[in-house]
Amino acid sequence: MTFDNLADQAAAEGLQIKEKPLRSSDGRIFGNNIALRRGLRTSAQRACVLAEELGHYYTTVGNILDQRDTEARKQERRARAWGYEKMIGLRGIIDCYVSGCRSRAEMADHLGVTEEYLQEAIEFYREKYGEYAALDNYVICFEPHLGVVELREEI
């Protein structure tokens, strides 16, 4: 999912995206306005931030800026999870394997995300699924290292 695809989705929802000199975060959503920190250098950075802000649009209710509040932290996690699913998902990890990606850098480039965002997503999936997750004819192993195995039927 590219920044432009996400921007189109935001526009279809009636959201406006603007670059602002944010100090405490890379993105913020308020009402129908999404602010991205001015100076995000790459389209991958911009896409990752926009995905999370769209996640807030779809999953968050009220002001969650105070992350000392348990409910605010839960909503932050839901918004990030939405972004991880939109940008990567288990299918994206499998697609990286099928496409021959052999490093995190290659995976991040293939998916259009930053390496940091990819790592955060993998950690999220490890917490969500445990040691492995199965999808179609693939098993994604999260422990001890990320790996994908294709299951083949025996003849």
Side-chain angles (χ1 to χ4, degrees):
M1 180 71 47
T2 67
F3 175 81
D4 290 337
N5 295 135
L6 292 169
D8 289 344
Q9 181 175 347
E13 293 288 348
L15 302 171
Q16 293 186 350
I17 303 166
K18 296 181 180 178
E19 289 191 10
K20 299 282 187 180
L22 301 177
R23 293 183 185 163
S24 62
S25 66
D26 287 340
R28 182 79 38 99
I29 185 166
F30 185 76
N32 288 343
N33 296 300
I34 296 176
L36 300 180
R37 184 172 52 82
R38 186 174 289 135
L40 293 174
R41 292 190 178 111
T42 67
S43 61
Q45 288 174 320
R46 293 166 47 93
C48 294
V49 173
L50 182 53
E52 182 176 330
E53 296 312 315
L54 283 171
H56 283 295
Y57 176 75
Y58 290 115
T59 68
T60 301
V61 177
N63 182 337
I64 65 165
L65 293 175
D66 183 1
Q67 287 294 295
R68 294 174 297 183
D69 178 64
T70 302
E71 183 58 33
R73 287 192 309 273
K74 287 179 182 179
Q75 289 194 62
E76 182 68 32
R77 182 174 167 85
R78 272 196 300 274
R80 288 184 182 187
W82 190 96
Y84 298 147
E85 291 297 326
K86 188 74 170 176
M87 297 299 293
I88 300 169
L90 296 179
R91 173 65 52 208
I93 294 171
I94 292 168
D95 186 50
C96 287
Y97 167 78
V98 170
S99 297
C101 298
R102 296 296 177 242
S103 69
R104 303 267 167 125
E106 289 178 358
M107 289 177 69
D109 187 54
H110 181 78
L111 294 165
V113 300
T114 65
E115 286 185 60
E116 178 182 39
Y117 192 82
L118 175 61
Q119 183 59 40
E120 290 170 2
I122 291 168
E123 289 171 11
F124 169 79
Y125 292 132
R126 180 181 295 127
E127 290 173 12
K128 181 177 179 178
Y129 296 108
E131 292 182 10
Y132 66 92
L135 181 63
D136 297 332
N137 290 334
Y138 296 91
V139 175
I140 302 169
C141 301
F142 299 108
E143 296 289 340
H145 303 288
L146 181 65
V148 178
V149 177
E150 183 176 5
L151 304 175
R152 300 176 190 221
E153 291 184 40
E154 293 186 31
I155 298 175

